Amino acid sequence: MWQEAEKLFVVNKAASSSHENKLMKTVIVVHGGAWDVPDAAAEATVAGVKNAAQVGDTVLRSGGSAIDAVERAVRCLEDDPTFDAGHGSVLNAAGEVELDSLIMDGKNLAAGAVASVRNIANPVSLARAVMEKTDHVMLTDRGAGMFADSISTPLAHDLVTELELEEWEHSNSYRDGVKRFFNTNRGHDTVGAVALDSFGNVACATSTGGIRNKMVGRVGDSPIIGSGGYADNGSGAVSCTGHGESILKVTLARLILFHMEQGKCALEATNMSLQHMFDRVKGCGGAVVLSSTGEWAASFTTPRMAWATVTEDTLHHGFNQREHFTEKL
């Protein structure tokens, strides 16, 4: 049972000292999905999250907003065929790509999301457009496609990789896929990011292609505010990954922030919430979490989750349980 095993957790409390200055010390944390990543994909997966974290950090260092940083970081992961978001996404039961994404600004709780969208390389940017250009929070399927066309979003017809097509042809069912994605070496790579900018604002973004062989129209946690992600300057920001149906049932992102609002540190709040999800619905997953003071955590209950964060001049990253490497930038 996973609750008996060691869980990876990383926490950094030093950033909270930034209250002494007018400008906050910026932080960005990204993840590449919580599952049993195969050894063959390990190097590319770690490289991908490290690159995304540095891209987001560049935005923050230049004075950019947290919302800009998480969008840029997640776009990097959507463009990387190593991950299940945008290029490289898994196929549904009909052999099609259907993408889900959300983005949320902790400054004013503005949020945007899209679900079951097709032929869009960067659904996180479409989600942001929903947030900024409509009076709605979420658009789905045909309506999301019509909106994308109305704002001249370019279509992408190269989202399916040969590797995914081969995996899909050899897969048996969604039920089989759920077991394999989280416990063996067949991928589930929801991606996400959280950030704190120099003005004290937090943001989150999450994006995914879902689970292989899902029913057409299936929507998991990733685009659902409070489940796949949440951001509020009053507490912090979260991006979740794992078994979507389980995350939905416990509203994982909001649950983590609830515990933080009750005085728990980011690490304890995350681990308590992941434990609750397993106890109640036997679901596994992970999350990256960032408090409004800059304290961050990365925790997961699956065999592996690639994560990376940049704080000041240091890149932190990990992949296996209890793994934490640092590199000076």
Side-chain angles (χ1 to χ4, degrees):
M1 302 292 277
W2 70 262
Q3 67 264 53
E4 300 296 331
E6 293 182 335
K7 296 188 291 291
L8 174 144
F9 53 89
V10 183
V11 62
N12 177 2
K13 298 182 179 180
S16 61
S17 63
S18 57
H19 277 305
E20 300 171 2
N21 304 317
K22 183 177 181 180
L23 296 179
M24 299 287 287
K25 293 180 180 178
T26 62
V27 185
I28 184 162
V29 194
V30 305
H31 70 78
W35 58 292
D36 192 1
V37 186
D39 291 341
E43 183 177 352
T45 301
V46 172
V49 296
K50 289 167 65 176
N51 177 61
Q54 291 178 84
V55 167
D57 177 61
T58 298
V59 173
L60 295 172
R61 284 176 180 271
S62 65
S65 67
I67 201 78
D68 288 338
V70 296
E71 181 189 10
R72 288 288 301 278
V74 169
R75 281 180 65 98
C76 281
L77 297 168
E78 290 173 336
D79 291 339
D80 188 336
T82 303
F83 302 97
D84 173 23
H87 291 90
S89 291
V90 298
L91 302 177
N92 64 17
E96 304 165 330
V97 169
E98 288 185 309
L99 305 168
D100 306 325
S101 187
L102 72 78
I103 194 166
M104 188 167 186
D105 190 339
K107 178 171 60 177
N108 54 8
L109 302 187
V114 292
S116 298
V117 298
R118 305 158 188 256
N119 300 322
I120 301 295
N122 297 115
V124 69
S125 293
L126 185 59
R128 183 170 182 176
V130 171
M131 177 179 74
E132 296 179 340
K133 300 178 184 294
T134 80
D135 294 324
H136 306 307
V137 169
M138 177 181 284
L139 294 176
T140 68
D141 198 11
R142 186 173 67 92
M146 293 170 62
F147 172 65
D149 183 63
S150 74
I151 60 172
S152 301
T153 301
L155 295 180
H157 299 286
D158 60 346
L159 302 182
V160 181
T161 64
E162 291 185 10
L163 176 61
E164 171 53 27
L165 187 58
E166 180 182 333
E167 292 284 359
W168 178 77
E169 289 173 344
H170 286 86
S171 62
N172 297 314
S173 67
Y174 168 82
R175 185 179 297 275
D176 177 65
V178 170
K179 295 178 181 178
R180 290 178 179 272
F181 288 155
F182 302 106
N183 299 303
T184 67
N185 64 356
R186 293 180 180 266
H188 176 84
D189 284 286
T190 294
V191 303
V194 292
L196 171 69
D197 64 31
S198 59
F199 301 102
N201 300 312
V202 297
C204 74
T206 306
S207 188
T208 191
I211 300 178
R212 186 175 297 120
N213 262 320
K214 63 186 180 180
M215 292 178 65
V216 174
R218 177 265 187 184
V219 177
D221 68 290
S222 295
I224 306 303
I225 309 301
S227 290
Y230 200 82
D232 184 346
N233 279 9
S235 48
V238 180
S239 175
C240 297
T241 172
H243 183 227
E245 280 70 17
S246 296
I247 293 172
L248 282 165
K249 290 172 183 177
V250 300
T251 55
L252 183 60
R254 194 64 192 87
L255 180 62
I256 291 170
L257 289 180
F258 167 78
H259 287 307
M260 290 172 65
E261 291 163 356
Q262 302 306 304
K264 304 297 183 183
C265 70
L267 172 62
E268 187 176 6
T270 305
N271 286 342
M272 287 176 63
S273 300
L274 289 171
Q275 179 71 55
H276 173 75
M277 184 169 75
F278 184 83
D279 290 343
R280 292 291 287 141
V281 295
K282 306 304 178 188
C284 294
V288 291
V289 182
L290 182 61
S291 77
S292 56
T293 61
E295 176 193 17
W296 60 268
S299 186
F300 55 93
T301 54
T302 52
R304 287 171 162 174
M305 182 182 80
W307 61 269
T309 180
V310 178
T311 59
E312 299 186 69
D313 295 321
T314 303
L315 171 68
H316 305 256
H317 61 93
F319 183 53
N320 295 299
Q321 300 284 357
R322 290 197 175 276
E323 187 172 81
H324 182 186
F325 299 107
T326 60
E327 299 176 22
K328 283 295 182 181
L329 298 176

